[in-house]
Amino acid sequence: MTHPALGIHRSARSAGPLPTKKVRKRYWITLFLMIGLALFFGIGLLAWDNPMPFGSDGFWIIAKLRASNILTMVIVAACQSIATVAFQTVTNNRIITPSIMGFEALYRVVQTGAIFVLGVAGVTFFTGVSQFVLQVAIMVGLSVALYGWLLSGKLGNIQIMLLVGIIIGTGLGSISTFMQRLLTPSEFDVLTARLFGSMANADMSYMPVAIPLVVIAGGYLVLSSKKMNILALGKETTINLGINHRREVMKTLFFVSILMAVTTALVGPLTFLGFLVATLAYQLADTYDHRYIYPMSFLIGFVVLAGAYFVMKNIFYAEGVVGIIIEAVGGITFLIFILRKGRL
């Protein structure tokens, strides 16, 4: 019999997260392959097409500048992968992602509103550590208020929360579109560059704030892997096992909102990256245990980001379209799995 949320056989679950020698071998081979690809693309981004001789001071100066993009990719991969897997677990649905809660729509409203009110100078106004912290705080605050309101009371449930999140996201998107139509062509061009997810949007001055937030939020979710395994079984089973389902869901969604707020404020919207990474992780890890899913999803996320950036930068010389390519591939993957949702 197949578990509806986890997509695995009960007999396999009883034998452990990696029940057979073949499954274990395939998992570890895949994991080490992902580690190898991550190292290859990471080192390639540092050294490939570096005009200075290897080992020279100039080489390391250029490599240090490029390392900032790699650090950004690590943070984005961690945020998107961990947040999406955890969100899909507590909502018991492998199609929706945290983006459904309106994080990207809120980001677009903030960026569009800044330029709408202040002109092109609005871009400058919404840069800097204080503005980054403000954007993260607004996103997390609104998310927590939404969770607390919709998950409290006798009628509170995740389905209503998701529905309200979709409506809020659609409403914010409409507000952004209205303001964009009133911008001048030059202002709209500046805004468009900000609304595409790009590693170039990240500022290294944000890292002292972003890294601790990611470590705390991501660390909690990873360390809660065993509880996540239980939450995936559903509300009734979780309660019967003596776990406060609502409290655990609230805590999980709170840390998910931190991760999504950080990645969105850092690089901009990447709507389908989380879905793409989580879907591939489920297929390649082939287990219900989050202790094995989390590292696989993180490595896949970094390989996707670094690989796309490496190929587009060094082969097609179009590094600015990396976010567009990832969204296109992720969107196609999303459509494929929607059409085959009976197998999710």
Side-chain angles (χ1 to χ4, degrees):
M1 183 175 179
T2 302
H3 190 283
L6 304 176
I8 57 175
H9 294 287
R10 292 189 185 276
S11 59
R13 290 177 60 244
S14 63
L18 301 175
T20 66
K21 183 178 180 180
K22 181 180 179 180
V23 172
R24 289 193 296 271
K25 182 179 179 180
R26 183 174 61 185
Y27 175 85
W28 291 112
I29 289 176
T30 305
L31 186 70
F32 284 116
L33 176 61
M34 289 299 160
I35 293 174
L37 288 173
L39 292 175
F40 172 79
F41 288 125
I43 296 172
L45 288 173
L46 292 176
W48 189 275
D49 202 25
N50 192 321
M52 304 302 293
F54 179 79
S56 64
D57 292 339
F59 176 91
W60 292 116
I61 291 175
I62 295 175
K64 184 178 180 180
L65 294 174
R66 295 179 176 182
S68 61
N69 282 334
I70 296 178
L71 177 60
T72 302
M73 293 176 195
V74 170
I75 292 176
V76 172
C79 290
Q80 291 280 347
S81 60
I82 296 174
T84 303
V85 170
F87 186 81
Q88 291 180 345
T89 297
V90 296
T91 57
N92 200 20
N93 191 311
R94 288 190 174 181
I95 296 178
I96 61 176
T97 68
S99 302
I100 203 172
M101 300 308 299
F103 289 101
E104 277 125 10
L106 180 60
Y107 174 85
R108 290 188 175 95
V109 166
V110 171
Q111 297 295 326
T112 305
I115 294 182
F116 180 79
V117 175
L118 302 174
V120 176
V123 175
T124 305
F125 178 79
F126 269 93
T127 56
V129 177
S130 58
Q131 287 77 9
F132 174 75
V133 174
L134 177 62
Q135 290 187 71
V136 173
I138 291 174
M139 293 180 190
V140 174
L142 291 178
S143 299
V144 171
L146 182 66
Y147 301 152
W149 170 46
L150 295 175
L151 291 180
S152 61
K154 295 181 179 179
L155 300 178
N157 61 70
I158 291 178
Q159 287 71 31
I160 294 178
M161 181 195 72
L162 296 176
L163 179 60
V164 173
I166 294 173
I167 295 173
I168 292 175
T170 303
L172 293 176
S174 299
I175 294 173
S176 299
T177 302
F178 172 75
M179 289 190 290
Q180 289 170 18
R181 291 182 178 274
L182 301 178
L183 298 177
T184 65
S186 59
E187 291 173 338
F188 184 76
D189 286 343
V190 174
L191 174 64
T192 300
R194 298 287 298 176
L195 294 184
F196 281 112
S198 173
M199 300 302 112
N201 291 340
D203 191 323
M204 286 300 101
S205 63
Y206 301 164
M207 295 306 170
V209 177
I211 292 176
L213 288 175
V214 174
V215 170
I216 294 173
Y220 173 84
L221 294 175
V222 171
L223 293 176
S224 302
S225 293
K226 292 184 178 180
K227 285 186 179 180
M228 300 300 293
N229 295 340
I230 298 175
L231 289 174
L233 298 175
K235 181 177 180 180
E236 291 76 13
T237 303
T238 302
I239 295 175
N240 289 336
L241 292 174
I243 295 178
N244 188 321
H245 181 267
R246 179 179 176 275
R247 184 179 64 190
E248 293 302 325
V249 169
M250 284 287 293
K251 288 195 294 185
T252 300
L253 292 177
F254 170 69
F255 288 112
V256 165
S257 68
I258 292 177
L259 293 177
M260 290 303 299
V262 168
T263 183
T264 304
L266 189 64
V267 301
L270 290 170
T271 306
F272 290 109
L273 176 62
F275 174 82
L276 174 63
V277 168
T279 300
L280 292 175
Y282 296 139
Q283 302 300 314
L284 296 178
D286 193 23
T287 179
Y288 66 89
D289 198 331
H290 288 70
R291 292 176 299 174
Y292 298 96
I293 297 175
Y294 280 140
M296 183 69 75
S297 63
F298 166 69
L299 287 170
I300 292 173
F302 181 79
V303 168
V304 168
L305 285 171
Y309 193 88
F310 179 84
V311 171
M312 300 307 297
K313 178 177 183 292
N314 296 296
I315 297 179
F316 298 101
Y317 303 101
E319 59 186 275
V321 301
V322 169
I324 301 174
I325 297 299
I326 292 175
E327 293 296 273
V329 175
I332 293 172
T333 305
F334 180 80
L335 291 176
I336 291 173
F337 275 86
I338 285 291
L339 295 175
R340 301 171 59 189
K341 61 182 180 179
R343 297 180 58 184
L344 284 176

